[in-house]
């Protein structure tokens, strides 16, 4: 029994380490998004840090349109980055969790 608990604790610690490594790796995974017409482009990391914003000159003439584009494109990019982030971290968590009866949280 005690050996089982120690084995589970070791597996949990290993999973925590893999989670931290995955979080660091997600800083290097880039997610690109753009408006339908390509006038605004953004790049985020999978950890949702904005890396770049590219704005076409014609958007600079209309402040309200630019603001609308920024909200729309950033929200799409954040949703995409969040999806990548959750999938990657979820996979690590699922693989690393010990098999405890009744604890099927990651199915």
């Amino acid at each position: 029994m005690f050996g089982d608990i120690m084995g589970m604790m070791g597996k949990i610690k290993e999973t925590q380490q893999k989670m931290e490594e995955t979080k660091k790796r997600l800083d290097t995974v880039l997610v690109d998004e753009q408006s339908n017409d390509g006038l605004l482009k953004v790049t985020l990391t999978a950890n949702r840090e904005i890396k770049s914003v590219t704005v076409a000159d014609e958007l600079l003439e209309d402040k309200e349109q630019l603001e609308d584009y920024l909200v729309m494109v950033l929200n799409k990019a954040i949703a995409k980055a969040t999806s990548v982030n959750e999938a990657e971290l979820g996979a690590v968590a699922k693989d690393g969790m010990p098999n405890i009866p009744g604890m099927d949280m990651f199915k």
Side-chain angles (χ1 to χ4, degrees):
M1 178 80 168
F2 185 70
D4 290 343
I5 292 173
M6 293 303 290
M8 282 191 289
M9 295 302 289
K11 185 111 172 137
I12 290 171
K13 187 169 185 80
E14 181 181 317
T15 300
Q16 288 173 331
Q17 182 178 353
K18 286 181 181 178
M19 292 285 276
E20 289 304 314
E21 291 168 1
T22 301
K23 287 178 184 177
K24 287 179 185 174
R25 185 178 59 76
L26 290 173
D27 280 334
T28 66
V29 175
L30 299 179
V31 174
D32 296 313
E33 188 61 60
Q34 66 180 3
S35 59
N36 291 336
D37 56 12
L39 297 178
L40 180 77
K41 299 175 184 177
V42 298
T43 301
L44 279 71
T45 69
N47 281 327
R48 297 171 298 270
E49 180 181 324
I50 297 171
K51 288 296 187 177
S52 70
V53 177
T54 305
V55 180
D57 290 339
E58 60 196 84
L59 277 179
L60 298 176
E61 298 167 9
D62 186 343
K63 180 181 182 282
E64 190 173 307
Q65 183 182 15
L66 175 57
E67 290 169 346
D68 290 344
Y69 271 50
L70 282 167
V71 169
M72 177 186 63
V73 175
L74 284 170
N75 281 331
K76 284 173 44 179
I78 290 168
K80 192 184 287 186
T82 298
S83 178
V84 170
N85 184 288
E86 289 174 353
E88 292 287 326
L89 292 177
V92 171
K94 183 178 180 182
D95 284 346
M97 289 303 291
N99 189 11
I100 302 171
M103 297 292 286
D104 300 339
M105 296 183 288
F106 296 105
K107 281 190 174 183

